[in-house]
């Protein structure tokens, strides 16, 4: 079993891990030749299936296992991974490999980084010089042959450091993950592009706080279920967020949002028979509604940090799914999807 | 009468405040020691595993410095103070000038220490502000001789020096939940490794357990030897210190100066870290974890230090009754041996259980070889400052059973495994300069701070503490 890769788009990777980490501390990672999939399934709350193409976050990807498609299943703590990724931000080069230390499997991240020169001015130059030196010569090459010339005293020996971050992992047997299935949900009644998540989150959080202050007592328990928010959308570009509590009834409505066209080739049923067609025909007063837990919803919305477009699919009084499209920085056409199955409640 | 007075300018106050902030991370109290040419602040943490010493040069650091001395304190004056109260006195005071710019409003700070017969013992700090306000603070102190940890430079053959700014940035890579830092060299790869790890949640057979995923990040940083200003370290030597202490030191070192120098010998022996700037010398002596102990203590709390609660009030200093003029002490004490009898008495009265103290405590009478006295009981090793601190045990790196059997008679030492004759080791100078009996212990020249022993053997002998 082998897994070794260079890291790319560390910022995006780090943000994804941060978003997942807000829902659950431990993730199931499934690696195969084509995709990297992160799955978090909390005991209560929303679950996430993030299926990424390998080249979104990895480069020089080497994978080898006895399973079909070289599949490797890992369980890893997201906190340490996030911490390691954060320390890799701004590095010259970072790589990841599956290894063992003292017989315990580890995901070992190797980071080549510079520290900032106290003088500051020439740190970038020094970094570039070091990077060039690394590209030109193997790291173990005798540097004495090609001494780096100092431009000034303060950068005389500013060298690249090699940082190794070992993240504890468990290698999962295929049998143990066989039974974990991605949820199946019926065709949605309404699909709509959400407004900027920062805005939606700010208002949702405000509603949740309001509800917590009006219903005294439940706020004291940290793990108590949060207040229920009512989330509705129609096929005419509107999204409504509503809170009904003992003494108040408030709502926010967004208009002019996009209900994207469906691609008929991707549908199981002809477009005319798709539930959304009926909802569109029923006019703007036909809302598909779900109820979400305010605290859980806030954690879900932290995915906004990925800065991707988010499509919400409502199955009226049944389910809410968010598709978060993660753009590739170097390839505008390519997109990866992170799927949130938001836990919802019936009225 | 005024024993000591000095004046600090605005910058001096800031530097002093930085030093106090750093010390406060180790202990609640410090010892102030004044001599004609320098002012020394020292502190030892509660588990006696870390010792801090800041030396301020009288002629360079202060705008004015005058050590008077008196009958009691002829050559030096010492006292013990709460760091917290000093911090609040020497804090930066910022105001807003008419232009809206923030600027400190302090012009200077005059400090005077009054002590003597019939005079209230006080440290008086007058903060003179630019705005015409003068604030006067009066702090009580306790007459207590400083405790200096001992460090033998001749023994410490391993050295390295590196920019403190670089070191500080390296620490940023270390995640939360780690306790120990292993510094080791690899001459094959020409690097020095800084490895952070914890022993906390390590469980045997945790392989199949979810607990394995709860372990914190294990971080290693390899720094090329080329980057060091100096590396003279035995190959593959692993030296382990507390991350918390190291972090506290680096935070201060980064502010103070460019280069941090370390000296150490073997695991289980002290490590010295120093850096300096104009008029200020900063020295730290940290106890290192013995190699075998790192293995043996998986289920113990290896860091007494981290467990020592901040702001833990030690009963000794709390004693308001002990406060007051040090003259009170003087009356009971023979002139020339200030505080000695009080301390000795405390030693005799309070037999602390024989745990290895973190450091060899210097200001105590010691018998030179080759007629070794009965080794002092462990209670003697405890200065009254540190009586009955159970926390001591937590730092205890060694397997106690094993240790006591082997070296039961030599508890003052941290680890005497490699020493041929442990009983001769208590004064390091004797190792290198075997001197005849009855001479006074020589000043250990290797101590950069140059602090002499507190008492002379001839002075304490009369108290009948020694059989011969």
């Amino acid at each position: 079993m082998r897994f070794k890769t260079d890291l790319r788009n560390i910022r995006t990777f780090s943000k994804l891990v941060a978003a997942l980490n807000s829902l659950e501390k431990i993730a199931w990672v499934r690696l195969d030749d084509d995709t990297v999939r992160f799955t978090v399934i909390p005991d209560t709350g929303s679950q996430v299936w993030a299926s990424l193409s390998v080249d979104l976050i990895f480069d020089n990807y080497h994978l080898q296992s006895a399973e079909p498609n070289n599949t490797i299943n890992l369980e890893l703590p997201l906190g340490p991974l996030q911490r390691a990724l954060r320390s890799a931000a701004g590095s010259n080069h970072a790589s990841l490999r599956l290894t063992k230390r003292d017989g315990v499997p580890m995901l070992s991240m190797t980071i080549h980084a510079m520290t900032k020169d106290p003088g500051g001015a020439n740190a970038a130059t020094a970094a570039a010089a070091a990077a060039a030196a690394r590209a030109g010569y193997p790291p173990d090459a005798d540097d004495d042959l090609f001494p780096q010339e100092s431009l000034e005293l303060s950068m005389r020996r500013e060298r690249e450091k090699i940082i190794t971050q070992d993240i504890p992992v468990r290698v999962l047997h295929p049998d143990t993950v066989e039974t974990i299935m991605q949820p199946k949900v019926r065709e949605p009644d309404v699909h709509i592009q959400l407004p900027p998540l920062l805005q939606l989150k700010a208002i949702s959080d405000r509603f949740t706080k309001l509800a917590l202050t009006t219903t005294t007592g439940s706020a004291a328990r940290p793990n108590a279920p949060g207040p229920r928010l009512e989330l509705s959308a129609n096929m005419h570009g509107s999204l409504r967020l509503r809170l009904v509590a003992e003494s108040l009834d408030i709502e926010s409505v967004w208009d002019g949002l996009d209900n994207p066209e469906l691609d008929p080739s991707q549908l199981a049923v002809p477009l005319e028979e798709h539930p959304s067609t009926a909802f569109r025909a029923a006019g703007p007063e036909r809302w598909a509604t779900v109820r979400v837990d305010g605290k859980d919803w806030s954690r879900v919305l932290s995915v906004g940090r990925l800065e991707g477009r988010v499509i919400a699919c409502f199955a009226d009084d049944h389910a809410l799914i968010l598709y978060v499209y993660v753009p590739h920085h170097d390839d505008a056409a390519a997109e990866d999807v992170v799927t949130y199955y938001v836990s919802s409640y019936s009225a | 009468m005024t024993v000591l007075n000095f004046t600090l300018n605005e910058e001096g106050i800031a530097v002093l405040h930085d030093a106090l902030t750093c010390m406060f991370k180790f202990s609640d109290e410090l010892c102030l020691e004044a001599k004609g040419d320098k002012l020394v602040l020292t502190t030892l943490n509660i588990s006696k595993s870390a010792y801090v010493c800041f030396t301020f040069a009288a002629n360079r650091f202060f705008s004015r410095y005058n050590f008077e001395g008196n009958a009691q304190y002829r050559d030096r004056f010492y006292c013990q103070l709460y760091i917290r109260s000093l911090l609040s006195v020497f804090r930066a005071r910022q105001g807003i000038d008419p232009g809206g710019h923030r600027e400190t409003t302090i012009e200077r700070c005059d400090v005077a220490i009054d002590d003597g017969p019939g005079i209230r013992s006080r440290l008086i700090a007058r903060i003179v502000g630019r705005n015409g306000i003068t604030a006067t603070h009066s702090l009580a102190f306790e007459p207590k001789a400083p405790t200096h940890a001992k460090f033998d430079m001749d023994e410490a053959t391993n050295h390295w020096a590196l920019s403190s700014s670089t070191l500080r940035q390296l620490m940023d890579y270390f995640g939360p939940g780690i306790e120990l830092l292993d510094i080791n060299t690899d001459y094959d790869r020409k690097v020095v490794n800084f490895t952070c790890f914890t022993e906390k949640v390590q469980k045997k057979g945790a392989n199949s357990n979810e607990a394995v995923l709860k372990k914190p990040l294990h971080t290693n940083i390899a720094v090329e030897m080329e980057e060091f200003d100096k590396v003279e370290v035995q190959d593959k030597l692993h030296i382990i210190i507390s991350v918390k202490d190291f972090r506290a030191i680096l935070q201060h070192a980064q502010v103070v100066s460019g280069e941090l120098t370390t000296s150490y010998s073997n695991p289980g022996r002290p490590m010295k870290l120093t850096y300096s700037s104009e008029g200020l010398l900063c020295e730290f002596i940290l106890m290192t974890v013995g190699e075998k102990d790192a293995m043996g203590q998986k289920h113990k709390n290896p860091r007494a230090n981290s467990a020592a609660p901040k702001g833990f009030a030690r009963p000794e200093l709390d004693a308001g009754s002990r406060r007051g003029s040090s003259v009170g002490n003087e009356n009971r004490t023979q002139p020339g041996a200030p505080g000695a009898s009080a301390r000795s008495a405390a030693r005799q009265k309070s037999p602390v259980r024989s745990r290895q103290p973190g450091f060899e405590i210097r200001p105590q009478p010691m018998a030179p070889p080759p007629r070794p006295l009965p080794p002092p009981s462990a209670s003697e090793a405890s200065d009254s400052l540190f009586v009955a601190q159970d926390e001591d045990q937590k730092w205890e790196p060694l397997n106690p059973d094993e240790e006591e059997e082997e070296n039961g008679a030599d508890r003052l030492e941290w680890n005497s495994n490699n020493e041929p004759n442990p009983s001769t080791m208590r004064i390091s100078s004797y190792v290198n300069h075997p001197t005849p009996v009855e001479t006074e212990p020589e000043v250990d020249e290797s101590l950069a701070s140059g602090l002499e022993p507190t008492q002379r053997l001839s002075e304490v002998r009369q108290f009948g503490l020694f059989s011969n």
Side-chain angles (χ1 to χ4, degrees):
Chain A
M1 190 174 284
R2 270 168 53 84
F3 165 52
K4 189 174 187 306
T5 185
D6 292 343
L7 291 177
R8 60 190 301 219
N9 291 333
I10 291 173
R11 220 170 90 92
T12 305
F13 191 9
S14 178
K15 284 176 176 176
L16 173 70
V17 171
L20 299 180
N21 193 28
S22 64
L23 283 163
E24 176 70 343
K25 299 295 162 218
I26 289 175
W28 162 34
V29 182
R30 185 177 171 280
L31 305 158
D32 67 28
D33 284 339
D34 314 308
T35 54
V36 184
R37 196 174 67 193
F38 285 81
T39 306
V40 300
I41 306 179
D43 290 339
T44 57
S46 305
Q47 52 175 282
V48 189
W49 295 67
S51 210
L52 312 172
S53 50
V54 164
D55 54 2
L56 173 67
I57 50 172
F58 295 151
D59 208 1
N60 294 324
Y61 180 69
H62 296 286
L63 193 66
Q64 189 192 325
S65 83
E67 300 303 315
N69 224 2
N70 289 320
T71 305
I72 296 179
N73 286 290
L74 300 173
E75 196 175 30
L76 64 79
L78 289 166
L81 176 61
Q82 190 189 345
R83 180 88 205 178
L85 284 169
R86 207 184 300 153
S87 75
S91 64
N92 301 337
H93 175 256
S95 65
L96 201 59
R97 77 195 157 91
L98 186 62
T99 180
K100 275 193 174 184
R101 189 164 48 78
D102 304 333
V104 181
M106 289 281 160
L107 205 52
S108 184
M109 189 183 294
T110 307
I111 302 160
H112 296 250
M114 308 294 292
T115 45
K116 275 189 219 80
D117 199 288
N122 283 294
T125 328
R134 190 165 44 76
Y137 312 109
D140 296 331
D142 192 353
D143 276 343
D144 293 340
L145 291 174
F146 304 98
Q148 251 176 276
E149 284 193 13
S150 306
L151 295 179
E152 59 177 56
L153 202 64
S154 67
M155 61 161 286
R156 60 187 177 202
R157 274 169 297 182
E158 182 63 15
R159 296 295 182 109
E160 194 175 66
K161 280 95 189 165
I162 299 169
I163 298 119
T164 319
Q165 303 272 26
D166 287 345
I167 303 149
V169 291
R170 285 209 301 161
V171 178
L172 301 176
H173 192 268
D175 292 350
T176 59
V177 293
E178 199 179 31
T179 51
I180 310 174
M181 302 294 280
Q182 193 153 357
K184 284 218 174 357
V185 183
R186 68 170 169 87
E187 288 295 322
D189 298 314
V190 171
H191 46 271
I192 191 165
Q193 181 169 351
L194 292 182
L197 253 51
L198 196 60
Q199 198 184 90
L200 182 57
K201 184 172 188 298
I203 292 172
S204 302
D205 287 352
R206 194 166 186 83
F207 279 25
T208 305
K209 271 187 214 147
L210 273 171
L212 287 172
T213 49
T214 51
T215 56
T216 48
S218 69
R221 288 171 292 142
N223 287 325
R228 300 283 156 81
L229 300 179
E230 195 182 285
L231 206 56
S232 316
N234 62 21
M235 284 301 288
H236 295 265
S238 298
L239 174 77
R240 187 176 67 193
L241 179 69
R242 186 174 177 208
L243 167 70
V244 182
E246 284 160 21
S247 55
L248 77 156
D249 181 349
I250 48 174
E251 63 175 45
S252 278
V253 181
W254 285 262
D255 287 318
L257 302 174
D258 187 27
N259 299 103
E261 296 294 327
L262 294 174
D263 179 358
S265 65
Q266 299 285 318
L267 294 178
V269 292
L271 189 55
E272 307 79 57
E273 293 170 29
H274 193 268
S276 66
T277 312
F279 264 72
R280 191 190 299 273
E285 286 312 306
R286 185 67 175 105
W287 298 89
T289 302
V290 294
R291 280 149 212 91
V292 297
D293 178 290
K295 287 182 186 169
D296 179 56
W297 178 241
S298 180
R299 289 194 281 267
V300 167
L301 290 179
S302 85
V303 77
R305 73 184 89 204
L306 276 171
E307 292 159 357
R309 175 167 74 91
V310 184
I311 308 292
C313 290
F314 288 77
D316 189 24
D317 210 17
H318 178 64
L320 173 63
I321 302 163
L322 302 189
Y323 296 99
V324 181
Y325 293 88
V326 185
H328 287 210
H329 285 296
D330 42 2
D331 183 358
E335 272 183 329
D336 279 299
V337 183
V338 179
T339 310
Y340 276 74
Y341 296 90
V342 182
S343 70
S344 58
Y345 303 87
S346 51
Chain B
M1 71 180 275
T2 301
V3 181
L4 167 76
N5 61 55
F6 58 85
T7 301
L8 289 168
N9 61 14
E10 185 187 321
E11 195 189 339
I13 294 171
V15 173
L16 179 59
H17 189 266
D18 288 341
L20 292 168
T21 308
C22 178
M23 287 186 131
F24 194 51
K25 289 174 184 160
F26 291 88
S27 177
D28 295 333
E29 297 135 11
L30 61 75
C31 274
L32 179 150
E33 193 173 355
K35 296 192 184 178
D37 59 343
K38 64 192 170 195
L39 182 75
V40 183
L41 302 180
T42 55
T43 193
L44 188 61
N45 73 354
I46 196 165
S47 56
K48 292 192 229 175
S49 60
Y51 164 83
V52 185
C53 175
F54 291 124
T55 307
F56 301 89
N59 52 354
R60 283 187 294 168
F61 184 76
F62 304 94
S63 15
R64 190 176 59 90
Y65 182 94
N66 187 21
F67 175 73
E68 303 270 351
N70 61 12
Q72 181 191 353
Y73 300 110
R74 214 164 300 139
D75 304 320
R76 58 176 201 140
F77 168 82
Y78 51 81
C79 66
Q80 185 173 319
L81 291 147
Y82 274 122
I83 299 176
R84 193 188 293 275
S85 31
L86 290 172
L87 273 172
S88 62
V89 171
F90 296 107
R91 69 180 193 274
R93 287 164 175 78
Q94 287 195 322
I96 294 167
D97 72 2
H101 301 290
R102 287 190 150 263
E103 62 168 30
T104 62
T105 54
I106 307 174
E107 191 182 305
R108 65 189 157 88
C109 173
D110 298 320
V111 178
I113 291 176
D114 291 346
D115 198 11
I119 300 174
R120 291 198 340 149
S121 303
R122 286 289 184 270
L123 183 149
I124 295 158
R126 281 176 66 238
I127 313 279
V128 181
R130 291 208 177 83
N131 48 14
I133 298 173
T134 300
T136 306
H137 302 261
S138 175
L139 304 181
F141 58 79
E142 187 174 14
K144 186 170 271 184
T147 306
H148 297 300
K150 227 179 143 178
F151 188 79
D152 181 0
M153 275 309 245
D154 294 329
E155 177 195 305
T157 50
N158 302 302
H159 309 275
W160 56 260
L162 182 61
S163 144
S164 54
S165 164
T166 302
L167 271 172
R168 176 71 190 80
Q169 288 176 64
L170 294 184
M171 293 305 285
D172 288 342
Y173 288 103
F174 295 136
I178 44 156
E179 303 166 302
L180 299 170
L181 173 67
D182 177 347
I183 303 169
N184 58 81
T185 44
D186 185 341
Y187 278 90
D188 300 334
R189 291 170 54 214
K190 292 195 168 57
V191 293
V192 176
N193 289 305
F194 294 84
T195 310
C196 254
F197 63 102
T198 184
E199 302 284 348
K200 239 189 219 160
V201 280
Q202 205 133 341
K203 282 181 193 156
K204 277 185 184 138
N207 234 343
S208 55
N209 197 322
E210 285 249 334
V212 78
L213 295 181
K214 293 193 176 130
K215 285 207 294 192
L217 271 183
H218 180 287
T219 306
N220 181 72
I221 302 178
V223 183
E224 283 181 50
M225 288 182 176
E226 289 285 324
E227 183 155 351
F228 284 77
D229 296 299
K230 178 172 76 181
V231 182
E232 291 163 16
V233 183
Q234 188 190 326
D235 193 15
K236 304 282 190 292
L237 177 71
H238 287 252
I239 201 92
I240 300 170
I241 55 173
S242 145
V243 172
K244 186 170 159 276
D245 292 346
F246 197 55
R247 251 192 235 275
I249 294 168
L250 287 181
Q251 257 158 19
H252 185 249
Q254 191 192 13
V255 179
V256 170
S257 118
E259 186 179 293
L260 181 135
T261 309
T262 62
S263 307
Y264 51 98
S265 55
N266 292 311
R269 302 287 300 157
M271 175 192 224
K272 184 172 188 174
L273 302 97
T274 52
Y275 49 88
S276 59
S277 71
E278 183 66 14
L280 171 63
L281 172 65
C282 312
E283 294 165 291
F284 298 83
I285 300 178
L286 301 181
M287 181 55 179
T288 66
V289 179
E291 255 179 316
K292 60 176 177 180
D293 318 319
M295 306 298 143
Q297 64 178 191
K298 279 180 183 166
H299 299 285
K300 289 190 225 159
N301 180 355
R303 290 293 306 136
N305 205 21
S306 55
K310 260 253 145 95
F312 181 78
R314 281 166 236 180
E316 284 82 5
L317 243 198
D318 184 33
S321 56
R322 294 184 58 165
R323 201 180 287 156
S325 173
S326 50
V327 178
N329 256 353
E330 175 70 9
N331 294 341
R332 290 184 278 111
T333 316
Q334 296 287 335
S341 72
R343 231 181 19 260
S344 311
R347 267 185 220 131
Q348 286 174 322
K349 270 185 280 183
S350 50
V352 173
R353 213 147 30 88
S354 67
R355 281 295 172 172
Q356 274 194 326
F359 283 109
E360 193 175 347
I361 307 305
R362 201 139 64 98
Q364 67 183 357
M366 286 186 264
R371 273 196 291 159
L373 295 160
S377 77
S379 63
E380 279 178 285
S382 281
D383 192 277
S384 56
L385 234 187
F386 305 101
V387 164
Q389 299 294 356
D390 280 337
E391 281 82 356
D392 283 6
Q393 302 181 15
K394 295 186 185 169
W395 173 251
E396 203 53 54
L398 291 170
N399 181 343
D401 303 333
E402 185 187 321
E403 177 63 16
E404 250 141 67
E405 277 167 31
E406 283 176 8
N407 303 309
D410 187 41
R411 285 167 191 139
L412 278 184
E413 281 297 318
W414 285 354
N415 182 349
S416 52
N417 287 344
N418 300 329
E419 311 303 351
N421 183 2
S423 65
T424 66
M425 291 300 294
R426 283 199 311 313
I427 301 169
S428 59
S429 52
Y430 279 95
V431 179
N432 306 303
H433 320 284
T435 38
V437 197
E438 300 303 323
T439 48
E440 297 165 359
E442 288 177 10
V443 174
D444 188 347
E445 298 295 339
S446 60
L447 266 177
S449 56
L451 288 162
E452 292 84 7
T454 325
Q455 293 135 285
R456 289 164 192 271
L457 265 180
S458 53
E459 290 167 354
V460 281
R461 201 153 288 260
Q462 59 191 307
F463 299 128
L465 283 172
F466 301 95
S467 49
N468 49 345

